[in-house]
Amino acid sequence: MNTISLSIKDLLDDKVYGLDLKLFAGEKGLSHRLYSSRIQKPGLALTGYTEHLHPDRLQVLGNTEISYLRQIPEESAVLYIEKLCTFPISSFIVTKGLNPPGFLKKAAEDAGIPLLGTPHQSSTFISLITKFLEETLLPTTHIHGVLVDVLGVGVLLLGKSGIGKSECALDLVIRGHRLVADDIIHVKKKMPAALVGQAAETIQYHMEIRGLGIINIKDLYGVSSIREKKIIDMVLELVDWDPEQEYDRLGIDDRVYTILGVELPHLMIPVRPGRNLTSIIEVAARNFLLKGMGYYSARDFHEKLLARMDVRPLGNEVE
């Protein structure tokens, strides 16, 4: 289970997503924790059938559910609600500005289950609360590096301190590309398998250049030079040039770098005086876009070379 959680009180305190919640009953249950971004409408659970009830999810009661509870005999409604409240329900939320029946308020209060209300329609509220929970509960991590948007490709630059990541990013900005984050990158996993990076609020749009100090990219180059967040598409790791190290010269084998369980294309770029790293990064981004369209330059070249040498690729031997 995801260890990231938030309390029901956090929903009440929201001022950003416009949940607009108020408390009807069950104040002592505001410390209940949510671990899932999924919600549930109880449906048949209001008739006593609780086989597929997920008490860990928010239970949303709309016009249909409240109307049903008001139309059936009150004795039956009380019995069903009391049975429902025997489960460790995280919270009930009544939509459309409806006033919950008194027996629902009493059962929630007695069981210590927060009963909240919102003026939003059910569909609108479900959309808002799902976005809120996904933003809050999905796995996150922090990475030391630089994230830039190069030709629409989210390029994460990694490497030891002082190797030139920020200088590369600055040169890319000068060439018309966009800075997302420098130094500390907040990375959040979006389902099913996307990673979104952004800068910490205190250092957003800023970059540290040794010899110059802290500069503000937005002020220097305008709003077209920055992005608030970007999906990370590939990882480029800058490493010191080692003459004894054998570097990939063909690019046939795909290397991956794993962050929060998501595998990203990974390239290792050796750094030494005279190498134009900015151009190399641009070419890497363009090559990534080509691969997305099904064009693999290295493999095409390798196949043509084998054909020229009249050698069959491995795995294609004819017995």
Side-chain angles (χ1 to χ4, degrees):
M1 177 179 291
N2 188 356
T3 57
I4 303 173
S5 68
L6 72 155
S7 69
I8 302 303
K9 187 178 185 302
D10 293 328
L11 303 185
L12 278 174
D13 294 340
D14 166 65
K15 303 297 182 186
V16 176
Y17 291 83
L19 302 179
D20 199 9
L21 291 166
K22 65 178 181 179
L23 181 67
F24 286 118
E27 183 176 3
K28 62 184 179 181
L30 290 178
S31 60
H32 289 176
R33 309 297 297 182
L34 290 171
Y35 296 89
S36 172
S37 60
R38 302 184 65 180
I39 62 95
Q40 183 175 30
K41 299 196 75 175
L44 288 176
L46 297 178
T47 68
Y49 182 75
T50 56
E51 182 68 24
H52 298 289
L53 180 70
H54 299 276
D56 58 316
R57 302 179 188 174
L58 290 175
Q59 302 295 319
V60 176
L61 305 174
N63 187 48
T64 301
E65 289 80 10
I66 297 300
S67 296
Y68 171 76
L69 291 174
R70 293 188 188 280
Q71 290 176 7
I72 64 176
E74 185 170 329
E75 297 80 7
S76 299
V78 170
L79 181 64
Y80 296 149
I81 290 298
E82 288 181 346
K83 179 180 180 181
L84 191 58
C85 288
T86 61
F87 291 86
I89 303 290
S90 58
S91 177
F92 293 114
I93 299 181
V94 179
T95 61
K96 207 176 179 181
L98 298 172
N99 186 33
F103 58 82
L104 177 55
K105 294 180 182 178
K106 182 179 184 304
E109 184 68 32
D110 293 343
I113 298 174
L115 175 61
L116 311 178
T118 177
H120 294 299
Q121 298 278 351
S122 292
S123 57
T124 302
F125 177 75
I126 289 172
S127 177
L128 290 173
I129 192 66
T130 300
K131 183 177 180 181
F132 174 85
L133 293 176
E134 285 182 348
E135 290 287 335
T136 308
L137 295 176
L138 289 178
T140 61
T141 189
H142 300 95
I143 295 177
H144 179 75
V146 182
L147 180 59
V148 285
D149 179 346
V150 182
L151 302 170
V153 178
V155 180
L156 174 61
L157 300 178
L158 300 181
K160 70 179 185 179
S161 180
I163 200 167
K165 300 184 296 296
S166 296
E167 288 79 1
C168 281
L170 179 59
D171 202 9
L172 287 166
V173 168
I174 294 173
R175 289 176 179 236
H177 305 294
R178 307 168 77 179
L179 173 72
V180 182
D182 179 58
D183 193 26
I184 299 297
I185 305 167
H186 293 295
V187 180
K188 180 168 291 188
K189 183 178 180 180
K190 296 282 189 178
M191 302 308 287
L195 299 174
V196 177
Q198 65 183 96
E201 185 176 354
T202 54
I203 60 173
Q204 193 173 38
Y205 314 140
H206 290 80
M207 180 182 289
E208 178 194 353
I209 302 295
R210 285 172 171 79
L212 290 180
I214 305 297
I215 60 174
N216 188 310
I217 296 298
K218 182 180 178 182
D219 291 345
L220 285 171
Y221 297 98
V223 294
S224 63
S225 65
I226 52 94
R227 286 196 63 162
E228 290 192 0
K229 58 181 65 174
K230 183 72 178 77
I231 292 178
I232 302 173
D233 296 302
M234 63 186 305
V235 176
L236 265 62
E237 184 176 358
L238 306 182
V239 297
D240 287 322
W241 184 285
D242 183 354
E244 297 184 0
Q245 175 71 33
E246 184 67 30
Y247 298 105
D248 189 359
R249 300 181 63 179
L250 295 179
I252 297 174
D253 299 325
D254 293 331
R255 189 194 306 265
V256 296
Y257 190 95
T258 303
I259 302 174
L260 294 175
V262 178
E263 293 185 347
L264 300 170
H266 177 211
L267 299 175
M268 296 185 67
I269 309 298
V271 177
R272 72 172 180 179
R275 296 202 87 196
N276 190 329
L277 294 180
T278 307
S279 295
I280 293 174
I281 294 170
E282 280 188 333
V283 171
R286 292 177 185 274
N287 201 41
F288 176 86
L289 293 173
L290 274 178
K291 287 181 178 180
M293 299 175 64
Y295 296 97
Y296 288 78
S297 302
R299 293 179 184 175
D300 290 345
F301 172 78
H302 184 61
E303 290 174 1
K304 290 178 181 178
L305 183 61
L306 291 176
R308 186 71 177 268
M309 297 171 61
D310 196 24
V311 177
R312 293 182 180 274
L314 292 177
N316 293 340
E317 293 86 350
V318 179
E319 294 183 358

